[in-house]
Amino acid sequence: MTTQQVPAIQVRGLEKSYEDLRVLRGVDFEVARGSVFALLGSNGAGKTTTMRILATLLKADAGTAAVNGFDVATHPANVRESLSLTGQFAAVDEILSGRENLVLVARLRHLDRPGEIADELLERFSLTDAAARKVSTYSGGMRRRLDIAMSLVGDPPVIFLDEPTTGLDPQGRIEVWQAVRQLADQGTTVLLTTQYLDEAEHLADRIAILHEGRIIVNGTLAELKRLLPPARIERVEKQPTLEDVFLSLVGR
């Protein structure tokens, strides 16, 4: 099996407990390269614990997990080189400008031409016009887009987004959605944890639902919808969604 055929993420029988609390009870899933995989679940379902194990920040009690072909337990350094993790809140320096944040990360990673890297990412995430502004003047959506851009310094093949739109207004959420979809379109594998069903519906190629420490369903949106019988109605009238109304009113 070639590198491109190996799933970007492989999880088998993952278990984790905190004293008497069993958080993960045998989690299994795979994520194809260049796709967006959404892990859904309510608070306490085990989403963040799964993410932390995959990011080598936490050790599993049982089971195996691999990222970019590297086992998280036996090759943690290779795993860390293969991924970038973005948490629920943007990890940006508000005193610096957007460009300075990106240049700083590139220099910390000892990359050549940090200025060029910063400029390319600013353009990619539609932040060029705000490049010289302090991040303290950015909107929530702009900060989150900059945070994701910082995660891509060094071109990691896999990026983890843990609740990426928490606390954002509707416009900010849509901006982040566009950025995430663009990542996958350009070949980056995205593991997304979210509580927002519409977020998964808009972004994910595959969706898994984590409940009480287990994956209870895993499939495409179409496959998941087929789990419920269609409703019988006499007359169908399409109503605009809230997103339709919002985009119409703001002119985007």
Side-chain angles (χ1 to χ4, degrees):
M1 185 177 288
T2 67
T3 301
Q4 289 301 315
Q5 291 174 320
V6 174
I9 301 170
Q10 294 175 295
V11 176
R12 291 285 180 271
L14 213 58
E15 297 183 13
K16 182 65 181 177
S17 297
Y18 298 102
E19 296 182 352
D20 295 332
L21 178 62
R22 293 186 66 193
V23 179
L24 302 180
R25 302 166 179 257
V27 172
D28 300 273
F29 65 86
E30 291 185 352
V31 181
R33 293 179 181 274
S35 68
V36 179
F37 185 93
L39 191 59
L40 303 183
S42 57
N43 285 333
K47 303 188 306 297
T48 298
T49 296
T50 301
M51 190 85 80
R52 286 174 61 82
I53 291 172
L54 289 171
T56 75
L57 299 175
L58 192 65
K59 289 187 177 180
D61 297 333
T64 62
V67 177
N68 199 33
F70 299 108
D71 187 281
V72 300
T74 59
H75 295 85
N78 298 103
V79 170
R80 288 191 287 270
E81 290 176 357
S82 300
L83 65 83
S84 188
L85 171 63
T86 299
Q88 297 181 18
F89 304 100
V92 295
D93 190 322
E94 296 189 353
I95 298 176
L96 300 178
S97 70
R99 188 176 190 275
E100 288 170 339
N101 268 278
L102 289 164
V103 168
L104 176 61
V105 174
R107 285 177 174 167
L108 288 173
R109 296 188 177 179
H110 307 290
L111 299 177
D112 295 331
R113 303 186 305 278
E116 291 181 22
I117 293 171
D119 292 337
E120 289 172 2
L121 287 167
L122 288 165
E123 182 176 359
R124 181 173 173 182
F125 287 88
S126 303
L127 291 169
T128 301
D129 291 343
R133 284 169 43 194
K134 287 188 176 182
V135 174
S136 59
T137 69
Y138 283 18
S139 68
M142 291 171 68
R143 292 186 193 201
R144 177 55 79 185
R145 278 155 48 210
L146 177 63
D147 192 30
I148 295 173
M150 290 166 63
S151 298
L152 292 177
V153 172
D155 294 320
V158 180
I159 183 170
F160 294 169
L161 299 178
D162 190 13
E163 307 280 0
T165 60
T166 297
L168 295 185
D169 61 22
Q171 182 63 46
R173 291 184 72 203
I174 292 170
E175 289 174 1
V176 172
W177 288 356
Q178 292 170 339
V180 173
R181 192 64 260 175
Q182 185 184 54
L183 289 179
D185 289 344
Q186 295 182 355
T188 303
T189 303
V190 179
L191 175 60
L192 168 75
T193 68
T194 182
Q195 297 183 60
Y196 303 126
L197 303 184
D198 58 336
E199 189 157 278
E201 189 167 351
H202 274 82
L203 295 175
D205 299 298
R206 292 188 69 85
I207 300 166
I209 298 177
L210 185 62
H211 181 66
E212 295 182 349
R214 292 188 176 91
I215 300 289
I216 58 173
V217 67
N218 181 349
T220 65
L221 179 61
E223 289 170 345
L224 267 57
K225 285 185 174 182
R226 286 198 291 270
L227 297 175
L228 296 179
R232 294 178 61 87
I233 53 177
E234 298 299 325
R235 181 168 176 263
V236 177
E237 181 175 306
K238 183 182 183 300
Q239 295 293 326
T241 64
L242 183 58
E243 182 182 344
D244 292 333
V245 174
F246 178 83
L247 292 176
S248 175
L249 292 175
V250 301
R252 297 197 180 187

